[in-house]
Amino acid sequence: MKKCMSLLMAAMMLLTLVTGCGATDTPSSSSKDETSQSTSTTPEVQETMKEVNSDFVIVGAGAAGMSAALEAVKNGAEKVTLLEMTSKTGGSLNFTSGSMSAAETILQKEDKIEDTQASYLEDLLRIGSDFGGNPSRPHLEAYVKESTAAFDWLWENGLKDYTFAQDKDGKRAVFAPEHPLYSIQRTYKPKAKDPKNYKAPAHELLDKMIKEENKIEILYNTKGTKLVANEQGQITAVIGENTQTKEKVKYTSKHGILVSTGGYSANKALMGKYTENGSSYLTGGPSSADGNGLLLVQNVGADVNNLNYIPTFPMGLESADVPGTGTIASTYTWKTGGICVNLDGNRFMDETEANNSIREIALEEQPKAVQYDIFTDKILADLAENKADFMYKYKFGEGTPGGKTVVTAATLDELAQKTGINAENLKKTVDEYNKAVESKGKDSFGRSFDGKVTPFNLAVNKVEGDKYYAVPLKALCIITLGGVTTNPDMQVLDEAGNVIPGLYAAGEFVGGVWGKFVSGGTGVMGPISFGRIAARNAMTKEMATGYTVKKSSKMLDEKLFEKATTNTDKYDMTSTFKDGEYTATVDGQEGPMEVKVTVKDSKIANVEIVSNKETEAVAGAALKDVPAAIVEKNSPDVDTVSGATLTSKRIMKAVKECLDKAK
């Protein structure tokens, strides 16, 4: 009896040890069905839940996840499951024009442009090393080789049929001035065939290829909430939670888990922790880019690096409807004599500097990461005469979202009063600048006034005239370069540099690859290439055994990932509303959005989006679901659509304005 009791107590102690380890769990090995019932032994997931088995499971259906799914099938996967937190594929591809880059490609050969992978590698290392950046040569060597194959793969699968932007010589491989220039033309700018639904042609192609592959399944509105290890210490499952029904399912994989959940450009708290003014940066990417994947992998011991590597664009136009978010916009008036000042009224750089990285860093260091473009009618007229005013007309012309931000004044004192800029400093700054213009030499920042025309210096003008203008612009973040640590095979590493068996990562989620600055076209080709590398290795490499899974000792504070809440009151629907039709116009993504609300019996009977200039690929679900939800709830205060937060809030704002008219 004593022996039996001892054995029983030992068994109970063993069970306690197993259930007390929050980082591991044992997938069911008895079931042969694709779907079964699994009882988790971890404290976080104690309930019985459905289990779905696949050959390969991917968390995140952006460029990396989509390309990885296709590559996994190519390498023998019969069933690939992608978990996507939002209601659409693409991730950051929904927010980029889709420039691509690679060397020794079919397109370059057709254009008779000689290029080498070695030259591409050296350019990537040079650009990423600016301001002390530390790009990973081994990762970039793997990328450069893979990107050629990946581009040619897309080319043969339909990219060759797209229309490309061309330079003056008709070449489709071009230089891209929005990034530091490569030493050779190797940036490609195709145009989407279906611009209503796609911004990036690569997204359009990947979507098409996946829809044609019946071995790939995408589960939308499903967030990966916990990675699960088996008894050999291999990451072989992830708990997915439906963001709408809250149902949890255990997704197991024969070949491990790939995490490709994107960056953290929408997480102001996290950016503010690692950069001086990061919490003031505008966010221009998906609202789902909150960095939660970092916690997911840290819970099984993953190392993270370089979270302070957050490049910005010195040209962010803040949304009037959703403060803190924005789009790329610039007046470019400094090309014909305009200047940029900070809130103190001081200049802080050579505005005509050709290296974007220098101007980016300069703005990031200013109070609240904001600058004001200061210019006059003459400066604006010269911009138009040089045919360089396209961005100004498109972003700041009459009826545009940026048009309302243009401040006009008859004097510098009035301009300062309207903007909040320090008046005395502003007048002193303009006076010193105008004297530098008269000198026809260079000022203290190195800006030249000798009249020599360059793409960044089209005309020389003083800042003087009958009208003065100011436009506020902020540092805009659309990509982050810190993240999880991997080896060049895209296997995730722990803090000691050991491979965590079965765990892979790719895309913007990975840190320490590019250095401090991303190079032109790599925002698209990087995730696609590394996604392919990760999937190929996952399908072909044997997973090590005997690894002990444990949480990272450098866990990020979970408070950094809490969603910000607003103190705004709910709209008062107890009022009496007059029956009728009411319209309101609010600023939209690329232009105004008009909404019509029908009130009947003092209730919201219908909400119609009369016109809009939202990007359908991003906003489609919100344009459809939010009006219906408002009618159903009889209130403009409804949940935003995941991945389309900005559009959701614009619709709600317009409905509130309509209801105000109906009171």
Side-chain angles (χ1 to χ4, degrees), residues 292-320:
N292 261 291
L294 297 173
L295 289 179
L296 186 70
V297 297
Q298 277 195 312
N299 271 305
V300 293
D303 186 36
V304 298
N305 67 80
N306 296 312
L307 296 184
N308 62 320
Y309 281 14
I310 306 174
T312 65
F313 282 96
M315 49 180 74
L317 171 63
E318 187 165 18
S319 167

Side-chain angles (χ1 to χ4, degrees), residues 385-464:
E385 185 176 332
N386 282 276
K387 295 181 172 55
D389 63 340
F390 171 77
M391 177 74 84
Y392 188 89
K393 290 189 295 185
Y394 179 56
K395 291 291 187 178
F396 300 97
E398 186 176 350
T400 64
K404 297 178 182 178
T405 70
V406 180
V407 179
T408 307
T411 66
L412 288 174
D413 278 311
E414 183 186 359
L415 195 70
Q417 190 273 326
K418 287 183 175 181
T419 58
I421 299 172
N422 183 294
E424 292 307 312
N425 285 349
L426 177 61
K427 290 187 290 185
K428 180 181 178 182
T429 294
V430 170
D431 182 60
E432 290 176 350
Y433 175 79
N434 288 342
K435 288 178 180 177
V437 172
E438 291 175 352
S439 74
K440 297 183 180 180
K442 290 185 177 182
D443 64 14
S444 59
F445 295 102
R447 181 168 177 171
S448 176
F449 305 101
D450 60 7
K452 182 180 179 181
V453 175
T454 73
F456 294 90
N457 197 352
L458 301 173
V460 176
N461 278 302
K462 291 182 179 180
V463 178
E464 61 181 15

Side-chain angles (χ1 to χ4, degrees), residues 210-226:
I210 283 182
K211 287 173 183 177
E212 293 172 350
E213 180 51 74
N214 60 16
K215 295 178 181 179
I216 299 173
E217 179 183 27
I218 302 177
L219 303 176
Y220 296 100
N221 303 308
T222 304
K223 180 179 180 179
T225 60
K226 174 181 168 57

